PDB file of all heavy atoms in Angstrom:
ATOM      1  N   PHE A 108      -1.168  -5.928  -1.405  1.00 98.00           N
ATOM      2  CA  PHE A 108      -1.047  -4.962  -2.513  1.00 98.00           C
ATOM      3  C   PHE A 108       0.223  -4.113  -2.336  1.00 98.00           C
ATOM      4  O   PHE A 108       0.982  -3.935  -3.296  1.00 98.00           O
ATOM      5  CB  PHE A 108      -2.303  -4.078  -2.527  1.00 98.00           C
ATOM      6  CG  PHE A 108      -2.370  -3.112  -3.652  1.00 98.00           C
ATOM      7  CD1 PHE A 108      -2.102  -3.484  -4.963  1.00 98.00           C
ATOM      8  CD2 PHE A 108      -2.731  -1.783  -3.441  1.00 98.00           C
ATOM      9  CE1 PHE A 108      -2.209  -2.581  -6.008  1.00 98.00           C
ATOM     10  CE2 PHE A 108      -2.826  -0.873  -4.473  1.00 98.00           C
ATOM     11  CZ  PHE A 108      -2.550  -1.271  -5.765  1.00 98.00           C
ATOM     12  N   THR A 111       3.669  -6.209  -2.475  1.00 98.00           N
ATOM     13  CA  THR A 111       4.122  -6.633  -3.819  1.00 98.00           C
ATOM     14  C   THR A 111       4.244  -5.473  -4.781  1.00 98.00           C
ATOM     15  O   THR A 111       4.582  -5.659  -5.942  1.00 98.00           O
ATOM     16  CB  THR A 111       3.136  -7.667  -4.391  1.00 98.00           C
ATOM     17  OG1 THR A 111       1.830  -7.098  -4.445  1.00 98.00           O
ATOM     18  CG2 THR A 111       3.097  -8.924  -3.572  1.00 98.00           C
ATOM     19  N   CYS A 112       3.943  -4.272  -4.326  1.00 98.00           N
ATOM     20  CA  CYS A 112       4.034  -3.053  -5.182  1.00 98.00           C
ATOM     21  C   CYS A 112       5.488  -2.860  -5.653  1.00 98.00           C
ATOM     22  O   CYS A 112       6.433  -3.057  -4.932  1.00 98.00           O
ATOM     23  CB  CYS A 112       3.603  -1.860  -4.331  1.00 98.00           C
ATOM     24  SG  CYS A 112       4.124  -0.252  -4.964  1.00 98.00           S
ATOM     25  N   TYR A 113       5.607  -2.428  -6.933  1.00 97.00           N
ATOM     26  CA  TYR A 113       6.951  -2.268  -7.507  1.00 97.00           C
ATOM     27  C   TYR A 113       7.769  -1.260  -6.693  1.00 97.00           C
ATOM     28  O   TYR A 113       8.947  -1.450  -6.474  1.00 97.00           O
ATOM     29  CB  TYR A 113       6.854  -1.785  -8.958  1.00 97.00           C
ATOM     30  CG  TYR A 113       6.216  -2.750  -9.916  1.00 97.00           C
ATOM     31  CD1 TYR A 113       5.599  -3.918  -9.478  1.00 97.00           C
ATOM     32  CD2 TYR A 113       6.259  -2.501 -11.267  1.00 97.00           C
ATOM     33  CE1 TYR A 113       5.006  -4.787 -10.361  1.00 97.00           C
ATOM     34  CE2 TYR A 113       5.699  -3.382 -12.190  1.00 97.00           C
ATOM     35  CZ  TYR A 113       5.058  -4.519 -11.720  1.00 97.00           C
ATOM     36  OH  TYR A 113       4.487  -5.381 -12.599  1.00 97.00           O
ATOM     37  N   TYR A 114       7.124  -0.174  -6.279  1.00 98.00           N
ATOM     38  CA  TYR A 114       7.880   0.827  -5.516  1.00 98.00           C
ATOM     39  C   TYR A 114       8.294   0.278  -4.160  1.00 98.00           C
ATOM     40  O   TYR A 114       9.474   0.400  -3.766  1.00 98.00           O
ATOM     41  CB  TYR A 114       7.112   2.141  -5.336  1.00 98.00           C
ATOM     42  CG  TYR A 114       7.802   2.945  -4.267  1.00 98.00           C
ATOM     43  CD1 TYR A 114       9.065   3.472  -4.501  1.00 98.00           C
ATOM     44  CD2 TYR A 114       7.277   3.067  -2.972  1.00 98.00           C
ATOM     45  CE1 TYR A 114       9.777   4.131  -3.524  1.00 98.00           C
ATOM     46  CE2 TYR A 114       7.989   3.704  -1.982  1.00 98.00           C
ATOM     47  CZ  TYR A 114       9.227   4.233  -2.258  1.00 98.00           C
ATOM     48  OH  TYR A 114       9.929   4.858  -1.267  1.00 98.00           O
ATOM     49  N   TYR A 115       7.350  -0.315  -3.432  1.00 98.00           N
ATOM     50  CA  TYR A 115       7.692  -0.772  -2.089  1.00 98.00           C
ATOM     51  C   TYR A 115       8.736  -1.877  -2.135  1.00 98.00           C
ATOM     52  O   TYR A 115       9.541  -2.006  -1.240  1.00 98.00           O
ATOM     53  CB  TYR A 115       6.436  -1.278  -1.342  1.00 98.00           C
ATOM     54  CG  TYR A 115       5.579  -0.165  -0.805  1.00 98.00           C
ATOM     55  CD1 TYR A 115       4.309   0.088  -1.312  1.00 98.00           C
ATOM     56  CD2 TYR A 115       6.037   0.644   0.236  1.00 98.00           C
ATOM     57  CE1 TYR A 115       3.520   1.111  -0.808  1.00 98.00           C
ATOM     58  CE2 TYR A 115       5.246   1.649   0.737  1.00 98.00           C
ATOM     59  CZ  TYR A 115       3.998   1.892   0.225  1.00 98.00           C
ATOM     60  OH  TYR A 115       3.224   2.894   0.726  1.00 98.00           O
ATOM     61  N   HIS A 153       1.254  -9.476  -7.936  1.00 98.00           N
ATOM     62  CA  HIS A 153       0.853  -8.090  -7.687  1.00 98.00           C
ATOM     63  C   HIS A 153      -0.421  -7.718  -8.457  1.00 98.00           C
ATOM     64  O   HIS A 153      -1.293  -7.038  -7.913  1.00 98.00           O
ATOM     65  CB  HIS A 153       1.973  -7.124  -8.050  1.00 98.00           C
ATOM     66  CG  HIS A 153       1.605  -5.716  -7.765  1.00 98.00           C
ATOM     67  ND1 HIS A 153       1.325  -5.262  -6.495  1.00 98.00           N
ATOM     68  CD2 HIS A 153       1.413  -4.633  -8.584  1.00 98.00           C
ATOM     69  CE1 HIS A 153       0.994  -3.984  -6.539  1.00 98.00           C
ATOM     70  NE2 HIS A 153       1.052  -3.589  -7.794  1.00 98.00           N
ATOM     71  N   PHE A 157      -3.844  -6.085  -7.077  1.00 98.00           N
ATOM     72  CA  PHE A 157      -4.423  -4.839  -7.603  1.00 98.00           C
ATOM     73  C   PHE A 157      -5.930  -5.025  -7.793  1.00 98.00           C
ATOM     74  O   PHE A 157      -6.729  -4.162  -7.416  1.00 98.00           O
ATOM     75  CB  PHE A 157      -3.769  -4.452  -8.945  1.00 98.00           C
ATOM     76  CG  PHE A 157      -4.525  -3.377  -9.675  1.00 98.00           C
ATOM     77  CD1 PHE A 157      -4.531  -2.061  -9.242  1.00 98.00           C
ATOM     78  CD2 PHE A 157      -5.286  -3.704 -10.806  1.00 98.00           C
ATOM     79  CE1 PHE A 157      -5.257  -1.088  -9.898  1.00 98.00           C
ATOM     80  CE2 PHE A 157      -6.018  -2.730 -11.446  1.00 98.00           C
ATOM     81  CZ  PHE A 157      -5.980  -1.424 -11.016  1.00 98.00           C
ATOM     82  N   TYR A 202      -3.184   6.476  -5.403  1.00 98.00           N
ATOM     83  CA  TYR A 202      -2.127   5.459  -5.306  1.00 98.00           C
ATOM     84  C   TYR A 202      -2.547   4.199  -6.068  1.00 98.00           C
ATOM     85  O   TYR A 202      -1.751   3.622  -6.834  1.00 98.00           O
ATOM     86  CB  TYR A 202      -1.859   5.139  -3.812  1.00 98.00           C
ATOM     87  CG  TYR A 202      -1.012   3.896  -3.628  1.00 98.00           C
ATOM     88  CD1 TYR A 202       0.310   3.876  -4.071  1.00 98.00           C
ATOM     89  CD2 TYR A 202      -1.530   2.755  -3.039  1.00 98.00           C
ATOM     90  CE1 TYR A 202       1.078   2.745  -3.906  1.00 98.00           C
ATOM     91  CE2 TYR A 202      -0.767   1.618  -2.880  1.00 98.00           C
ATOM     92  CZ  TYR A 202       0.547   1.606  -3.325  1.00 98.00           C
ATOM     93  OH  TYR A 202       1.312   0.480  -3.179  1.00 98.00           O
ATOM     94  N   THR A 203      -3.789   3.754  -5.859  1.00 98.00           N
ATOM     95  CA  THR A 203      -4.247   2.505  -6.505  1.00 98.00           C
ATOM     96  C   THR A 203      -4.207   2.646  -8.029  1.00 98.00           C
ATOM     97  O   THR A 203      -3.727   1.753  -8.722  1.00 98.00           O
ATOM     98  CB  THR A 203      -5.687   2.190  -6.043  1.00 98.00           C
ATOM     99  OG1 THR A 203      -5.706   2.137  -4.595  1.00 98.00           O
ATOM    100  CG2 THR A 203      -6.162   0.847  -6.574  1.00 98.00           C
ATOM    101  N   SER A 205      -2.440   4.660  -9.765  1.00 98.00           N
ATOM    102  CA  SER A 205      -1.098   4.920 -10.300  1.00 98.00           C
ATOM    103  C   SER A 205      -0.259   3.636 -10.360  1.00 98.00           C
ATOM    104  O   SER A 205       0.910   3.690 -10.783  1.00 98.00           O
ATOM    105  CB  SER A 205      -0.367   5.944  -9.392  1.00 98.00           C
ATOM    106  OG  SER A 205      -0.014   5.377  -8.153  1.00 98.00           O
ATOM    107  N   CYS A 206      -0.845   2.523  -9.985  1.00 98.00           N
ATOM    108  CA  CYS A 206      -0.155   1.231 -10.001  1.00 98.00           C
ATOM    109  C   CYS A 206       0.348   0.886 -11.401  1.00 98.00           C
ATOM    110  O   CYS A 206      -0.341   1.112 -12.406  1.00 98.00           O
ATOM    111  CB  CYS A 206      -1.149   0.185  -9.507  1.00 98.00           C
ATOM    112  SG  CYS A 206      -0.604  -1.521  -9.721  1.00 98.00           S
ATOM    113  N   HIS A 207       1.505   0.320 -11.460  1.00 97.00           N
ATOM    114  CA  HIS A 207       2.092  -0.092 -12.764  1.00 97.00           C
ATOM    115  C   HIS A 207       1.228  -1.145 -13.447  1.00 97.00           C
ATOM    116  O   HIS A 207       1.093  -1.177 -14.667  1.00 97.00           O
ATOM    117  CB  HIS A 207       3.497  -0.625 -12.578  1.00 97.00           C
ATOM    118  CG  HIS A 207       4.501   0.420 -12.130  1.00 97.00           C
ATOM    119  ND1 HIS A 207       4.451   1.036 -10.902  1.00 97.00           N
ATOM    120  CD2 HIS A 207       5.528   0.968 -12.785  1.00 97.00           C
ATOM    121  CE1 HIS A 207       5.446   1.893 -10.817  1.00 97.00           C
ATOM    122  NE2 HIS A 207       6.123   1.896 -11.939  1.00 97.00           N
ATOM    123  N   SER A 208       0.648  -2.056 -12.636  1.00 97.00           N
ATOM    124  CA  SER A 208      -0.218  -3.093 -13.224  1.00 97.00           C
ATOM    125  C   SER A 208      -1.465  -2.423 -13.839  1.00 97.00           C
ATOM    126  O   SER A 208      -1.909  -2.825 -14.928  1.00 97.00           O
ATOM    127  CB  SER A 208      -0.669  -4.082 -12.160  1.00 97.00           C
ATOM    128  OG  SER A 208       0.406  -4.884 -11.779  1.00 97.00           O
ATOM    129  N   CYS A 209      -1.991  -1.447 -13.139  1.00 97.00           N
ATOM    130  CA  CYS A 209      -3.188  -0.719 -13.647  1.00 97.00           C
ATOM    131  C   CYS A 209      -2.858  -0.093 -15.007  1.00 97.00           C
ATOM    132  O   CYS A 209      -3.631  -0.175 -15.958  1.00 97.00           O
ATOM    133  CB  CYS A 209      -3.599   0.339 -12.639  1.00 97.00           C
ATOM    134  SG  CYS A 209      -4.916   1.412 -13.199  1.00 97.00           S
ATOM    135  N   HIS A 240       4.201   7.776  -8.415  1.00 98.00           N
ATOM    136  CA  HIS A 240       3.820   6.570  -7.651  1.00 98.00           C
ATOM    137  C   HIS A 240       4.484   6.530  -6.275  1.00 98.00           C
ATOM    138  O   HIS A 240       3.837   6.187  -5.285  1.00 98.00           O
ATOM    139  CB  HIS A 240       4.145   5.324  -8.456  1.00 98.00           C
ATOM    140  CG  HIS A 240       3.494   4.087  -7.917  1.00 98.00           C
ATOM    141  ND1 HIS A 240       2.135   3.979  -7.732  1.00 98.00           N
ATOM    142  CD2 HIS A 240       4.049   2.908  -7.476  1.00 98.00           C
ATOM    143  CE1 HIS A 240       1.870   2.786  -7.220  1.00 98.00           C
ATOM    144  NE2 HIS A 240       2.985   2.133  -7.059  1.00 98.00           N
TER     145      HIS A 240
HETATM  146 FE1  LIG B 301       2.831  -0.004  -6.763  1.00 82.24          FE
HETATM  147 FE2  LIG B 301       1.125  -1.511  -8.235  1.00 82.24          FE
HETATM  148  S1  LIG B 301       3.151  -0.973  -8.660  1.00 82.24           S
HETATM  149  S2  LIG B 301       0.753  -0.464  -6.384  1.00 82.24           S
END
Side-chain angles (χ1 to χ4, degrees):
F108 184 47
T111 57
C112 161
Y113 296 8
Y114 165 68
Y115 282 113
H153 182 63
F157 167 73
Y202 168 65
T203 305
S205 71
C206 170
H207 293 68
S208 289
C209 174
H240 194 55

